[in-house]
mmCIF file of all heavy atoms in Angstrom:
data_model
loop_
_atom_site.group_PDB
_atom_site.id
_atom_site.type_symbol
_atom_site.label_atom_id
_atom_site.label_comp_id
_atom_site.label_asym_id
_atom_site.label_seq_id
_atom_site.Cartn_x
_atom_site.Cartn_y
_atom_site.Cartn_z
ATOM 1 N N LEU M 1 40.782 -13.341 36.595
ATOM 2 C CA LEU M 1 40.504 -11.915 36.708
ATOM 3 C C LEU M 1 39.994 -11.428 35.371
ATOM 4 O O LEU M 1 40.581 -11.709 34.323
ATOM 5 C CB LEU M 1 41.770 -11.143 37.082
ATOM 6 C CG LEU M 1 42.398 -11.482 38.427
ATOM 7 C CD1 LEU M 1 43.711 -10.747 38.589
ATOM 8 C CD2 LEU M 1 41.449 -11.156 39.562
ATOM 9 N N GLU M 2 38.905 -10.708 35.395
ATOM 10 C CA GLU M 2 38.365 -10.118 34.177
ATOM 11 C C GLU M 2 37.559 -8.890 34.539
ATOM 12 O O GLU M 2 37.196 -8.688 35.686
ATOM 13 C CB GLU M 2 37.535 -11.124 33.378
ATOM 14 C CG GLU M 2 36.377 -11.731 34.136
ATOM 15 C CD GLU M 2 35.679 -12.843 33.363
ATOM 16 O OE1 GLU M 2 36.065 -13.121 32.223
ATOM 17 O OE2 GLU M 2 34.746 -13.434 33.905
ATOM 18 N N GLY M 3 37.306 -8.093 33.534
ATOM 19 C CA GLY M 3 36.529 -6.884 33.751
ATOM 20 C C GLY M 3 35.044 -7.157 33.633
ATOM 21 O O GLY M 3 34.606 -8.269 33.356
ATOM 22 N N ASN M 4 34.275 -6.107 33.841
ATOM 23 C CA ASN M 4 32.827 -6.187 33.635
ATOM 24 C C ASN M 4 32.406 -4.981 32.811
ATOM 25 O O ASN M 4 33.229 -4.166 32.423
ATOM 26 C CB ASN M 4 32.095 -6.260 34.980
ATOM 27 C CG ASN M 4 32.354 -5.038 35.836
ATOM 28 O OD1 ASN M 4 32.134 -3.901 35.418
ATOM 29 N ND2 ASN M 4 32.841 -5.249 37.047
ATOM 30 N N TYR M 5 31.136 -4.889 32.542
ATOM 31 C CA TYR M 5 30.638 -3.839 31.659
ATOM 32 C C TYR M 5 29.921 -2.715 32.386
ATOM 33 O O TYR M 5 29.080 -2.043 31.824
ATOM 34 C CB TYR M 5 29.721 -4.441 30.585
ATOM 35 C CG TYR M 5 30.470 -5.320 29.625
ATOM 36 C CD1 TYR M 5 30.338 -6.693 29.660
ATOM 37 C CD2 TYR M 5 31.340 -4.763 28.693
ATOM 38 C CE1 TYR M 5 31.039 -7.499 28.781
ATOM 39 C CE2 TYR M 5 32.047 -5.557 27.814
ATOM 40 C CZ TYR M 5 31.892 -6.920 27.865
ATOM 41 O OH TYR M 5 32.596 -7.706 26.993
ATOM 42 N N SER M 6 30.274 -2.484 33.642
ATOM 43 C CA SER M 6 29.670 -1.390 34.393
ATOM 44 C C SER M 6 30.497 -0.114 34.217
ATOM 45 O O SER M 6 31.670 -0.072 34.562
ATOM 46 C CB SER M 6 29.574 -1.735 35.875
ATOM 47 O OG SER M 6 29.119 -0.604 36.592
ATOM 48 N N ALA M 7 29.853 0.911 33.689
ATOM 49 C CA ALA M 7 30.514 2.207 33.538
ATOM 50 C C ALA M 7 30.214 3.130 34.719
ATOM 51 O O ALA M 7 30.620 4.291 34.721
ATOM 52 C CB ALA M 7 30.076 2.869 32.234
ATOM 53 N N LYS M 8 29.527 2.604 35.717
ATOM 54 C CA LYS M 8 29.145 3.403 36.878
ATOM 55 C C LYS M 8 30.391 3.980 37.552
ATOM 56 O O LYS M 8 31.300 3.253 37.930
ATOM 57 C CB LYS M 8 28.360 2.552 37.867
ATOM 58 C CG LYS M 8 27.700 3.344 38.953
ATOM 59 C CD LYS M 8 26.758 2.488 39.758
ATOM 60 C CE LYS M 8 25.958 3.368 40.668
ATOM 61 N NZ LYS M 8 24.809 2.677 41.207
ATOM 62 N N GLY M 9 30.436 5.302 37.653
ATOM 63 C CA GLY M 9 31.525 6.001 38.308
ATOM 64 C C GLY M 9 32.774 6.194 37.445
ATOM 65 O O GLY M 9 33.707 6.850 37.879
ATOM 66 N N LEU M 10 32.778 5.641 36.235
ATOM 67 C CA LEU M 10 33.953 5.788 35.381
ATOM 68 C C LEU M 10 33.976 7.157 34.710
ATOM 69 O O LEU M 10 32.939 7.666 34.295
ATOM 70 C CB LEU M 10 33.982 4.700 34.298
ATOM 71 C CG LEU M 10 34.056 3.254 34.760
ATOM 72 C CD1 LEU M 10 34.161 2.337 33.553
ATOM 73 C CD2 LEU M 10 35.204 3.028 35.723
ATOM 74 N N LYS M 11 35.179 7.698 34.579
ATOM 75 C CA LYS M 11 35.377 8.962 33.867
ATOM 76 C C LYS M 11 36.138 8.646 32.585
ATOM 77 O O LYS M 11 37.251 8.113 32.632
ATOM 78 C CB LYS M 11 36.150 9.962 34.729
ATOM 79 C CG LYS M 11 35.343 10.413 35.927
ATOM 80 C CD LYS M 11 36.033 11.499 36.689
ATOM 81 C CE LYS M 11 35.113 11.929 37.842
ATOM 82 N NZ LYS M 11 35.641 13.058 38.556
ATOM 83 N N VAL M 12 35.498 8.966 31.464
ATOM 84 C CA VAL M 12 36.027 8.585 30.156
ATOM 85 C C VAL M 12 36.096 9.800 29.243
ATOM 86 O O VAL M 12 35.194 10.640 29.225
ATOM 87 C CB VAL M 12 35.139 7.486 29.521
ATOM 88 C CG1 VAL M 12 35.519 7.221 28.088
ATOM 89 C CG2 VAL M 12 35.220 6.200 30.342
ATOM 90 N N ALA M 13 37.171 9.863 28.476
ATOM 91 C CA ALA M 13 37.318 10.893 27.447
ATOM 92 C C ALA M 13 37.200 10.222 26.080
ATOM 93 O O ALA M 13 37.792 9.173 25.849
ATOM 94 C CB ALA M 13 38.660 11.594 27.564
ATOM 95 N N LEU M 14 36.423 10.835 25.212
ATOM 96 C CA LEU M 14 36.363 10.429 23.806
ATOM 97 C C LEU M 14 37.205 11.429 23.032
ATOM 98 O O LEU M 14 36.934 12.624 23.068
ATOM 99 C CB LEU M 14 34.930 10.483 23.261
ATOM 100 C CG LEU M 14 33.865 9.612 23.884
ATOM 101 C CD1 LEU M 14 32.539 9.822 23.172
ATOM 102 C CD2 LEU M 14 34.259 8.168 23.842
ATOM 103 N N VAL M 15 38.216 10.941 22.334
ATOM 104 C CA VAL M 15 39.016 11.787 21.458
ATOM 105 C C VAL M 15 38.559 11.452 20.049
ATOM 106 O O VAL M 15 38.778 10.342 19.564
ATOM 107 C CB VAL M 15 40.523 11.538 21.652
ATOM 108 C CG1 VAL M 15 41.327 12.360 20.655
ATOM 109 C CG2 VAL M 15 40.928 11.888 23.087
ATOM 110 N N VAL M 16 37.880 12.410 19.420
ATOM 111 C CA VAL M 16 37.186 12.151 18.155
ATOM 112 C C VAL M 16 37.690 13.072 17.052
ATOM 113 O O VAL M 16 37.712 14.292 17.204
ATOM 114 C CB VAL M 16 35.659 12.354 18.313
ATOM 115 C CG1 VAL M 16 34.921 11.940 17.052
ATOM 116 C CG2 VAL M 16 35.120 11.600 19.525
ATOM 117 N N SER M 17 38.061 12.474 15.938
ATOM 118 C CA SER M 17 38.493 13.233 14.769
ATOM 119 C C SER M 17 37.292 13.873 14.076
ATOM 120 O O SER M 17 36.260 13.231 13.881
ATOM 121 C CB SER M 17 39.205 12.287 13.794
ATOM 122 O OG SER M 17 39.384 12.900 12.549
ATOM 123 N N ARG M 18 37.446 15.128 13.689
ATOM 124 C CA ARG M 18 36.378 15.794 12.915
ATOM 125 C C ARG M 18 36.442 15.415 11.445
ATOM 126 O O ARG M 18 35.438 15.478 10.740
ATOM 127 C CB ARG M 18 36.496 17.312 13.058
ATOM 128 C CG ARG M 18 36.006 17.833 14.377
ATOM 129 C CD ARG M 18 35.789 19.349 14.350
ATOM 130 N NE ARG M 18 36.818 20.076 13.650
ATOM 131 C CZ ARG M 18 37.844 20.701 14.214
ATOM 132 N NH1 ARG M 18 37.987 20.659 15.521
ATOM 133 N NH2 ARG M 18 38.731 21.358 13.503
ATOM 134 N N PHE M 19 37.619 15.030 10.948
ATOM 135 C CA PHE M 19 37.748 14.641 9.546
ATOM 136 C C PHE M 19 36.921 13.368 9.321
ATOM 137 O O PHE M 19 36.903 12.472 10.152
ATOM 138 C CB PHE M 19 39.218 14.389 9.198
ATOM 139 C CG PHE M 19 39.472 14.342 7.721
ATOM 140 C CD1 PHE M 19 39.529 15.511 6.976
ATOM 141 C CD2 PHE M 19 39.645 13.141 7.080
ATOM 142 C CE1 PHE M 19 39.758 15.479 5.614
ATOM 143 C CE2 PHE M 19 39.882 13.091 5.718
ATOM 144 C CZ PHE M 19 39.930 14.260 4.978
ATOM 145 N N ASN M 20 36.207 13.318 8.228
ATOM 146 C CA ASN M 20 35.236 12.247 7.949
ATOM 147 C C ASN M 20 34.123 12.240 9.003
ATOM 148 O O ASN M 20 33.684 11.189 9.469
ATOM 149 C CB ASN M 20 35.914 10.874 7.848
ATOM 150 C CG ASN M 20 36.749 10.740 6.602
ATOM 151 O OD1 ASN M 20 36.356 11.193 5.528
ATOM 152 N ND2 ASN M 20 37.908 10.126 6.730
ATOM 153 N N HIS M 21 33.687 13.434 9.347
ATOM 154 C CA HIS M 21 32.675 13.624 10.397
ATOM 155 C C HIS M 21 31.408 12.789 10.170
ATOM 156 O O HIS M 21 30.801 12.319 11.131
ATOM 157 C CB HIS M 21 32.313 15.109 10.515
ATOM 158 C CG HIS M 21 31.238 15.387 11.512
ATOM 159 N ND1 HIS M 21 31.467 15.340 12.860
ATOM 160 C CD2 HIS M 21 29.921 15.689 11.354
ATOM 161 C CE1 HIS M 21 30.338 15.604 13.506
ATOM 162 N NE2 HIS M 21 29.393 15.821 12.618
ATOM 163 N N PHE M 22 31.016 12.597 8.930
ATOM 164 C CA PHE M 22 29.801 11.817 8.673
ATOM 165 C C PHE M 22 29.961 10.377 9.158
ATOM 166 O O PHE M 22 28.967 9.708 9.443
ATOM 167 C CB PHE M 22 29.422 11.860 7.184
ATOM 168 C CG PHE M 22 30.415 11.184 6.270
ATOM 169 C CD1 PHE M 22 30.156 9.922 5.764
ATOM 170 C CD2 PHE M 22 31.593 11.810 5.908
ATOM 171 C CE1 PHE M 22 31.066 9.294 4.927
ATOM 172 C CE2 PHE M 22 32.504 11.202 5.061
ATOM 173 C CZ PHE M 22 32.248 9.938 4.568
ATOM 174 N N ILE M 23 31.184 9.913 9.308
ATOM 175 C CA ILE M 23 31.455 8.587 9.873
ATOM 176 C C ILE M 23 31.736 8.692 11.370
ATOM 177 O O ILE M 23 31.153 7.970 12.177
ATOM 178 C CB ILE M 23 32.662 7.915 9.173
ATOM 179 C CG1 ILE M 23 32.388 7.722 7.684
ATOM 180 C CG2 ILE M 23 33.038 6.605 9.856
ATOM 181 C CD1 ILE M 23 31.274 6.757 7.356
ATOM 182 N N THR M 24 32.624 9.596 11.753
ATOM 183 C CA THR M 24 33.043 9.671 13.156
ATOM 184 C C THR M 24 31.892 10.077 14.082
ATOM 185 O O THR M 24 31.861 9.669 15.238
ATOM 186 C CB THR M 24 34.242 10.610 13.350
ATOM 187 O OG1 THR M 24 33.889 11.937 12.966
ATOM 188 C CG2 THR M 24 35.440 10.126 12.546
ATOM 189 N N SER M 25 30.946 10.847 13.563
ATOM 190 C CA SER M 25 29.794 11.226 14.401
ATOM 191 C C SER M 25 28.962 9.999 14.760
ATOM 192 O O SER M 25 28.423 9.911 15.864
ATOM 193 C CB SER M 25 28.942 12.284 13.701
ATOM 194 O OG SER M 25 28.362 11.764 12.520
ATOM 195 N N LYS M 26 28.873 9.045 13.853
ATOM 196 C CA LYS M 26 28.129 7.801 14.132
ATOM 197 C C LYS M 26 28.886 6.929 15.128
ATOM 198 O O LYS M 26 28.282 6.291 15.992
ATOM 199 C CB LYS M 26 27.875 7.024 12.842
ATOM 200 C CG LYS M 26 27.040 7.771 11.832
ATOM 201 C CD LYS M 26 25.672 8.091 12.376
ATOM 202 C CE LYS M 26 24.825 8.820 11.356
ATOM 203 N NZ LYS M 26 23.647 9.429 11.953
ATOM 204 N N LEU M 27 30.219 6.892 15.011
ATOM 205 C CA LEU M 27 31.020 6.156 15.989
ATOM 206 C C LEU M 27 30.852 6.773 17.373
ATOM 207 O O LEU M 27 30.699 6.062 18.379
ATOM 208 C CB LEU M 27 32.499 6.176 15.587
ATOM 209 C CG LEU M 27 32.869 5.532 14.252
ATOM 210 C CD1 LEU M 27 34.341 5.774 13.941
ATOM 211 C CD2 LEU M 27 32.546 4.049 14.245
ATOM 212 N N GLU M 28 30.876 8.098 17.428
ATOM 213 C CA GLU M 28 30.692 8.819 18.692
ATOM 214 C C GLU M 28 29.327 8.512 19.304
ATOM 215 O O GLU M 28 29.226 8.234 20.500
ATOM 216 C CB GLU M 28 30.843 10.318 18.431
ATOM 217 C CG GLU M 28 30.694 11.190 19.640
ATOM 218 C CD GLU M 28 30.807 12.661 19.298
ATOM 219 O OE1 GLU M 28 31.803 13.063 18.639
ATOM 220 O OE2 GLU M 28 29.894 13.424 19.682
ATOM 221 N N GLU M 29 28.286 8.563 18.486
ATOM 222 C CA GLU M 29 26.939 8.253 18.987
ATOM 223 C C GLU M 29 26.874 6.850 19.575
ATOM 224 O O GLU M 29 26.281 6.638 20.634
ATOM 225 C CB GLU M 29 25.916 8.378 17.858
ATOM 226 C CG GLU M 29 25.624 9.793 17.424
ATOM 227 C CD GLU M 29 24.762 9.853 16.160
ATOM 228 O OE1 GLU M 29 24.154 8.819 15.779
ATOM 229 O OE2 GLU M 29 24.706 10.935 15.542
ATOM 230 N N GLY M 30 27.475 5.891 18.893
ATOM 231 C CA GLY M 30 27.480 4.515 19.386
ATOM 232 C C GLY M 30 28.221 4.386 20.703
ATOM 233 O O GLY M 30 27.783 3.679 21.619
ATOM 234 N N ALA M 31 29.351 5.065 20.818
ATOM 235 C CA ALA M 31 30.140 5.010 22.046
ATOM 236 C C ALA M 31 29.371 5.627 23.222
ATOM 237 O O ALA M 31 29.338 5.060 24.314
ATOM 238 C CB ALA M 31 31.470 5.735 21.842
ATOM 239 N N ILE M 32 28.771 6.769 22.986
ATOM 240 C CA ILE M 32 27.998 7.432 24.047
ATOM 241 C C ILE M 32 26.837 6.553 24.483
ATOM 242 O O ILE M 32 26.569 6.387 25.677
ATOM 243 C CB ILE M 32 27.509 8.818 23.584
ATOM 244 C CG1 ILE M 32 28.692 9.764 23.405
ATOM 245 C CG2 ILE M 32 26.488 9.395 24.568
ATOM 246 C CD1 ILE M 32 28.350 11.071 22.705
ATOM 247 N N ASP M 33 26.138 5.962 23.532
ATOM 248 C CA ASP M 33 25.009 5.086 23.835
ATOM 249 C C ASP M 33 25.429 3.934 24.752
ATOM 250 O O ASP M 33 24.768 3.657 25.751
ATOM 251 C CB ASP M 33 24.404 4.547 22.530
ATOM 252 C CG ASP M 33 23.220 3.639 22.785
ATOM 253 O OD1 ASP M 33 22.224 4.101 23.386
ATOM 254 O OD2 ASP M 33 23.287 2.454 22.388
ATOM 255 N N VAL M 34 26.538 3.287 24.435
ATOM 256 C CA VAL M 34 27.016 2.174 25.262
ATOM 257 C C VAL M 34 27.390 2.661 26.654
ATOM 258 O O VAL M 34 27.022 2.039 27.653
ATOM 259 C CB VAL M 34 28.205 1.457 24.581
ATOM 260 C CG1 VAL M 34 28.938 0.551 25.564
ATOM 261 C CG2 VAL M 34 27.719 0.662 23.383
ATOM 262 N N PHE M 35 28.096 3.774 26.743
ATOM 263 C CA PHE M 35 28.496 4.310 28.045
ATOM 264 C C PHE M 35 27.273 4.561 28.919
ATOM 265 O O PHE M 35 27.249 4.163 30.094
ATOM 266 C CB PHE M 35 29.295 5.602 27.847
ATOM 267 C CG PHE M 35 29.852 6.173 29.113
ATOM 268 C CD1 PHE M 35 30.994 5.633 29.689
ATOM 269 C CD2 PHE M 35 29.262 7.266 29.730
ATOM 270 C CE1 PHE M 35 31.532 6.163 30.865
ATOM 271 C CE2 PHE M 35 29.776 7.795 30.894
ATOM 272 C CZ PHE M 35 30.917 7.242 31.467
ATOM 273 N N LEU M 36 26.251 5.186 28.365
ATOM 274 C CA LEU M 36 25.045 5.501 29.147
ATOM 275 C C LEU M 36 24.237 4.241 29.478
ATOM 276 O O LEU M 36 23.693 4.122 30.575
ATOM 277 C CB LEU M 36 24.177 6.511 28.394
ATOM 278 C CG LEU M 36 24.836 7.885 28.161
ATOM 279 C CD1 LEU M 36 23.927 8.783 27.342
ATOM 280 C CD2 LEU M 36 25.231 8.543 29.483
ATOM 281 N N ARG M 37 24.172 3.304 28.559
ATOM 282 C CA ARG M 37 23.437 2.048 28.804
ATOM 283 C C ARG M 37 24.080 1.198 29.893
ATOM 284 O O ARG M 37 23.413 0.381 30.522
ATOM 285 C CB ARG M 37 23.333 1.215 27.527
ATOM 286 C CG ARG M 37 22.343 1.742 26.536
ATOM 287 C CD ARG M 37 22.339 0.874 25.280
ATOM 288 N NE ARG M 37 21.511 1.445 24.261
ATOM 289 C CZ ARG M 37 20.271 1.062 24.021
ATOM 290 N NH1 ARG M 37 19.713 0.117 24.736
ATOM 291 N NH2 ARG M 37 19.582 1.635 23.062
ATOM 292 N N HIS M 38 25.370 1.397 30.108
ATOM 293 C CA HIS M 38 26.087 0.635 31.129
ATOM 294 C C HIS M 38 26.272 1.440 32.399
ATOM 295 O O HIS M 38 27.280 1.306 33.098
ATOM 296 C CB HIS M 38 27.424 0.141 30.583
ATOM 297 C CG HIS M 38 27.284 -0.910 29.533
ATOM 298 N ND1 HIS M 38 26.994 -2.221 29.825
ATOM 299 C CD2 HIS M 38 27.346 -0.831 28.187
ATOM 300 C CE1 HIS M 38 26.906 -2.913 28.712
ATOM 301 N NE2 HIS M 38 27.107 -2.092 27.695
ATOM 302 N N GLU M 39 25.291 2.307 32.681
ATOM 303 C CA GLU M 39 25.203 3.068 33.927
ATOM 304 C C GLU M 39 26.226 4.191 34.040
ATOM 305 O O GLU M 39 26.493 4.683 35.141
ATOM 306 C CB GLU M 39 25.290 2.156 35.158
ATOM 307 C CG GLU M 39 24.223 1.087 35.216
ATOM 308 C CD GLU M 39 24.358 0.204 36.451
ATOM 309 O OE1 GLU M 39 24.964 0.642 37.455
ATOM 310 O OE2 GLU M 39 23.840 -0.917 36.400
ATOM 311 N N GLY M 40 26.812 4.593 32.928
ATOM 312 C CA GLY M 40 27.718 5.726 32.961
ATOM 313 C C GLY M 40 26.941 7.024 33.111
ATOM 314 O O GLY M 40 25.813 7.147 32.628
ATOM 315 N N ASP M 41 27.530 7.970 33.783
ATOM 316 C CA ASP M 41 26.912 9.276 33.995
ATOM 317 C C ASP M 41 27.449 10.225 32.912
ATOM 318 O O ASP M 41 28.672 10.356 32.766
ATOM 319 C CB ASP M 41 27.281 9.784 35.383
ATOM 320 C CG ASP M 41 26.617 11.089 35.759
ATOM 321 O OD1 ASP M 41 26.254 11.879 34.858
ATOM 322 O OD2 ASP M 41 26.469 11.334 36.971
ATOM 323 N N GLU M 42 26.549 10.877 32.194
ATOM 324 C CA GLU M 42 27.005 11.749 31.101
ATOM 325 C C GLU M 42 27.927 12.866 31.581
ATOM 326 O O GLU M 42 28.753 13.357 30.826
ATOM 327 C CB GLU M 42 25.844 12.298 30.283
ATOM 328 C CG GLU M 42 24.956 13.276 30.987
ATOM 329 C CD GLU M 42 23.829 13.777 30.093
ATOM 330 O OE1 GLU M 42 23.454 13.097 29.134
ATOM 331 O OE2 GLU M 42 23.333 14.875 30.396
ATOM 332 N N SER M 43 27.837 13.243 32.847
ATOM 333 C CA SER M 43 28.742 14.266 33.372
ATOM 334 C C SER M 43 30.169 13.731 33.527
ATOM 335 O O SER M 43 31.107 14.505 33.729
ATOM 336 C CB SER M 43 28.231 14.822 34.703
ATOM 337 O OG SER M 43 28.283 13.836 35.713
ATOM 338 N N ASN M 44 30.349 12.421 33.439
ATOM 339 C CA ASN M 44 31.671 11.798 33.507
ATOM 340 C C ASN M 44 32.238 11.480 32.129
ATOM 341 O O ASN M 44 33.236 10.776 32.016
ATOM 342 C CB ASN M 44 31.627 10.514 34.335
ATOM 343 C CG ASN M 44 31.480 10.786 35.815
ATOM 344 O OD1 ASN M 44 31.811 11.862 36.290
ATOM 345 N ND2 ASN M 44 30.987 9.812 36.532
ATOM 346 N N LEU M 45 31.599 11.981 31.099
ATOM 347 C CA LEU M 45 32.037 11.760 29.726
ATOM 348 C C LEU M 45 32.463 13.098 29.128
ATOM 349 O O LEU M 45 31.718 14.073 29.166
ATOM 350 C CB LEU M 45 30.875 11.166 28.923
ATOM 351 C CG LEU M 45 31.166 10.511 27.589
ATOM 352 C CD1 LEU M 45 32.146 9.369 27.739
ATOM 353 C CD2 LEU M 45 29.869 10.000 26.979
ATOM 354 N N THR M 46 33.671 13.150 28.599
ATOM 355 C CA THR M 46 34.209 14.365 27.984
ATOM 356 C C THR M 46 34.570 14.057 26.545
ATOM 357 O O THR M 46 35.234 13.057 26.274
ATOM 358 C CB THR M 46 35.465 14.854 28.737
ATOM 359 O OG1 THR M 46 35.104 15.127 30.096
ATOM 360 C CG2 THR M 46 36.048 16.098 28.096
ATOM 361 N N ILE M 47 34.148 14.917 25.625
ATOM 362 C CA ILE M 47 34.474 14.745 24.212
ATOM 363 C C ILE M 47 35.516 15.790 23.830
ATOM 364 O O ILE M 47 35.328 16.983 24.064
ATOM 365 C CB ILE M 47 33.225 14.872 23.332
ATOM 366 C CG1 ILE M 47 32.226 13.765 23.694
ATOM 367 C CG2 ILE M 47 33.600 14.814 21.844
ATOM 368 C CD1 ILE M 47 30.870 13.899 23.041
ATOM 369 N N VAL M 48 36.616 15.310 23.248
ATOM 370 C CA VAL M 48 37.702 16.172 22.796
ATOM 371 C C VAL M 48 37.825 15.964 21.296
ATOM 372 O O VAL M 48 38.064 14.849 20.840
ATOM 373 C CB VAL M 48 39.033 15.810 23.496
ATOM 374 C CG1 VAL M 48 40.140 16.750 23.045
ATOM 375 C CG2 VAL M 48 38.872 15.814 25.005
#
């Protein structure tokens, strides 16, 4: 049993620290890019 890399239909929350924003903003961008590249729907992504 193993997972796959399809984000299709998944609902994901990103909890992102504002402190060190010049770093965390790049981490956030990378995470969003992967989610969308793996068929994730941006309406299923929430940033907190």
Side-chain angles (χ1 to χ4, degrees):
L1 297 174
E2 57 187 358
N4 61 55
Y5 293 107
S6 174
K8 191 170 190 165
L10 299 183
K11 293 186 178 185
V12 171
L14 299 181
V15 176
V16 186
S17 167
R18 284 195 319 261
F19 195 77
N20 289 320
H21 177 74
F22 66 102
I23 299 294
T24 62
S25 65
K26 298 299 181 194
L27 299 174
E28 181 182 308
E29 288 171 15
I32 293 169
D33 180 60
V34 165
F35 185 78
L36 297 177
R37 285 178 187 261
H38 291 283
E39 302 180 23
D41 184 334
E42 68 180 24
S43 67
N44 287 337
L45 196 58
T46 300
I47 298 171
V48 182

